[in-house]
């Protein structure tokens, strides 16, 4: 069937309509919750509120805090909360904006039907959590999407007038710098952005200079901190966790399975073999147990919840190994742009291993600005795709609702 046939256009519009409806539902639900800041919101917003008593920027940066992320979140939110706090639910409004912005930018950055494909992020349950609460991952994802878009513009036309290229280099550097100022782990994706943007040897040198220039404010912050983490947060780092990195690939792999199962099916033999290897490897290294959807599964009761978690964990580990195998296969036969997107996806997953004290599915959402454009050409938008989008959105809503309803 032609891409321009009425059936394809109708399926695409239907898929897009479900995505928009999910986005609206998320916004309505979030902006009708009146619960005071909770969970990790408490630590991040408390650090933002410390601004009013710190006395100076340096004192604020070095003040003991339970928040281990970069200063952008605090500097951004202190403009809204005021000395006496900003009433809920509006404190969560910025992340809804960042989500809509991310979808728009990813849609513009891709290719065939990419605008509709970008709405597929609403099928990823973690999206609902990072956008429906005042957490830190959504601003970082928005800036990474901007950097990916700018890199694509630089690579699209190597002969473009130098003034326009200078503008896109500047956008790339600033977006990357802000993303690192939100989540320091974003540093690791610099090689992927260079691979996306650079088509000539001179571009590699210019790109490296631009990214360093964009990082200049954070380099000062790192000097003040004497490292990549605020004082008192050394426990966040430590030895690299292979298990956490594998968990990262697993969660992004599940998201990719929701978005483009046809891509998986094309490499099903490799995926099954790599998945089996991952399960054996995970058992051999005696990794910590992977808990997923625990806030939802606890509703099954103390007997069934642990069994369901173990089954889901095994399936997730297998998915992670399969995803690694498929990424390697894809990298061997694709163009430079796709290799940059593959590298960015893989580096975000690997960065989960650097956060040794815990694993959270929220961390891997930073892979979406790379993974969604990578998968967009492989996505279809028929009834089965619409069902996956709706199903993922329902799970995302259930997870977000469980956060709001869980005490503590």
């Amino acid at each position: 069937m032609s891409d321009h046939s009425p059936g394809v256009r109708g399926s695409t519009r239907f898929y897009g309509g479900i995505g928009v409806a999910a986005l609206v539902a998320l916004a309505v639900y979030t902006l009708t919750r009146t619960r005071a800041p909770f969970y990790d919101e408490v630590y991040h917003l408390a650090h933002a509120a410390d601004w009013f008593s710190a006395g100076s920027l340096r004192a604020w940066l070095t003040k003991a805090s339970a928040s281990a992320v970069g200063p952008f979140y605090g500097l951004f939110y202190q403009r809204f909360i005021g000395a006496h706090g900003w009433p809920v639910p509006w404190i969560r409004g910025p992340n809804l904006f960042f989500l809509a912005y991310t979808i728009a930018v990813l849609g513009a950055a891709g290719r065939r039907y990419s605008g509709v494909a970008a709405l597929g992020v609403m099928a990823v349950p973690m999206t609902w959590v990072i956008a429906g609460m005042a957490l830190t991952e959504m601003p970082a994802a928005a800036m990474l999407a901007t950097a990916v878009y700018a890199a694509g513009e630089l690579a699209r036309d190597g002969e473009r007038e130098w003034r326009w290229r200078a503008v896109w280099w500047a956008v790339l550097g600033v977006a990357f710098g802000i993303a690192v100022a939100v989540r320091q782990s974003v540093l690791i994706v610099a090689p992927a952005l260079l691979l996306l943007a650079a088509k000539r040897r001179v571009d590699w040198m210019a790109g490296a200079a631009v990214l360093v220039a964009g990082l200049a404010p954070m380099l000062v912050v790192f000097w003040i901190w004497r490292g990549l983490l605020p004082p008192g947060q050394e426990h966040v780092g430590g030895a690299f966790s292979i298990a956490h990195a594998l968990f990262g690939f697993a969660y992004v792999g599940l998201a990719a399975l929701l978005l483009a199962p046809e891509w998986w099916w094309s490499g099903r033999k490799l995926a099954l073999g790599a998945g089996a290897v991952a399960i054996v490897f995970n058992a051999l290294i005696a990794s910590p147990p992977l808990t997923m959807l625990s806030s939802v599964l606890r509703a099954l009761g103390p007997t069934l919840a642990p069994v369901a978690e173990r089954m889901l964990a095994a399936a997730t580990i297998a998915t992670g190994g399969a995803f690694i195998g498929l990424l390697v296969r894809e990298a061997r036969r694709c163009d430079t742009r796709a290799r940059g997107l593959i590298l960015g996806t893989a580096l975000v997953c690997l960065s989960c291993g650097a956060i040794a004290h815990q694993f959270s599915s929220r961390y891997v959402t930073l892979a979406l600005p790379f993974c969604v454009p990578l998968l967009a050409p492989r996505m279809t938008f028929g009834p089965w795709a619409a069902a996956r989008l709706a199903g993922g959105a329902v799970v995302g809503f259930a997870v977000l609702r469980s956060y709001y309803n869980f005490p503590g």
Side-chain angles (χ1 to χ4, degrees):
M1 185 179 292
S2 169
D3 289 346
H4 302 288
S5 66
V8 170
R9 291 198 301 271
S11 297
T12 303
R13 285 195 294 267
F14 184 56
Y15 185 92
I18 292 178
V20 171
L23 180 60
V24 171
L26 170 60
V28 170
Y29 180 80
T30 300
L31 296 179
T32 54
R33 301 307 96 189
T34 57
R35 184 174 181 177
F38 64 101
Y39 190 59
D40 286 355
E41 290 180 326
V42 174
Y43 309 119
H44 300 316
L45 291 173
H47 181 53
D50 285 341
W51 170 267
F52 300 102
S53 59
S56 69
L57 177 60
R58 185 186 183 96
W60 178 70
L61 288 171
T62 56
K63 183 179 176 65
S65 170
S67 178
V69 299
F72 178 85
Y73 177 96
L75 292 174
F76 180 82
Y77 272 88
Q78 62 87 9
R79 304 294 298 177
F80 295 105
I81 62 177
H84 304 291
W86 199 26
V88 293
W90 311 113
I91 194 69
R92 298 172 181 118
N95 273 355
L96 295 171
F97 166 79
F98 283 127
L99 173 60
Y101 171 85
T102 300
I103 291 173
V105 172
L106 289 179
R111 296 176 181 176
R112 169 180 169 268
Y113 290 134
S114 55
V116 176
L119 285 165
V121 302
M122 298 307 302
V124 181
M126 297 89 78
T127 299
W128 289 70
V129 177
I130 67 169
M133 298 169 64
L135 301 173
T136 59
E137 289 81 11
M138 200 65 248
M143 290 301 100
L144 270 182
T146 304
V148 169
Y149 180 80
E153 289 298 307
L154 286 163
R156 186 169 288 118
D157 185 4
E159 304 303 321
R160 182 177 291 178
E161 186 180 0
W162 70 267
R163 292 181 181 84
W164 285 109
R165 291 183 61 77
V167 168
W168 286 117
W169 279 120
V171 171
L172 175 61
V174 170
F176 177 66
I178 295 176
V180 174
V182 181
R183 304 284 304 189
Q184 300 92 299
S185 59
V186 171
L187 270 170
I188 198 173
V189 306
L193 293 175
L194 286 177
L195 184 58
L196 281 170
K199 296 185 69 174
R200 301 167 298 178
R201 184 185 299 272
V202 67
D203 289 337
W204 283 91
M205 295 184 290
V210 163
L211 293 186
V212 171
L215 284 175
M218 278 306 293
L219 294 178
V220 175
V221 172
F222 293 152
W223 179 78
I224 293 173
W225 285 347
R226 299 294 190 268
L228 298 180
L229 296 168
Q233 294 293 326
E234 291 80 4
H235 67 283
V236 172
F240 185 84
S241 171
I242 297 176
H244 289 178
L246 182 56
F247 296 166
F249 280 103
Y251 270 85
V252 180
L254 285 172
L257 184 58
L258 274 172
L259 295 174
E262 296 86 355
W263 180 65
W264 279 75
W265 183 251
S266 67
R268 55 193 177 278
K269 293 182 180 179
L270 173 62
L272 287 172
V277 170
I279 290 178
V280 174
F281 177 75
N282 188 60
L284 290 176
I285 65 174
S287 70
L290 171 63
T291 57
M292 58 181 302
L293 298 178
S294 55
S295 56
V296 176
L297 293 178
R298 64 168 61 97
L300 297 176
T303 302
L304 292 179
V307 176
E309 279 196 346
R310 285 194 294 270
M311 293 176 62
L312 279 173
T316 302
I317 292 299
T319 302
F323 188 54
I324 293 173
L326 291 173
L327 287 179
V328 172
R329 180 198 67 158
E330 189 72 16
R332 295 179 61 184
R333 64 184 193 182
C334 63
D335 58 19
T336 301
R337 176 182 180 272
R339 289 194 181 101
L341 297 172
I342 290 170
L343 180 60
T345 301
L347 289 174
V348 171
C349 295
L350 287 172
S351 72
C352 294
I355 307 174
H357 74 299
Q358 69 175 14
F359 173 79
S360 172
S361 60
R362 303 198 319 266
Y363 303 153
V364 301
T365 52
L366 297 181
L368 292 178
F370 297 99
C371 192
V372 170
L374 172 67
L375 296 176
R378 284 87 169 175
M379 291 174 64
T380 57
F381 306 102
W384 169 226
R388 293 195 312 272
L389 174 56
V394 169
V395 174
F397 171 76
V399 173
L400 178 62
R401 185 175 183 275
S402 71
Y403 274 91
Y404 274 99
N405 291 340
F406 189 71

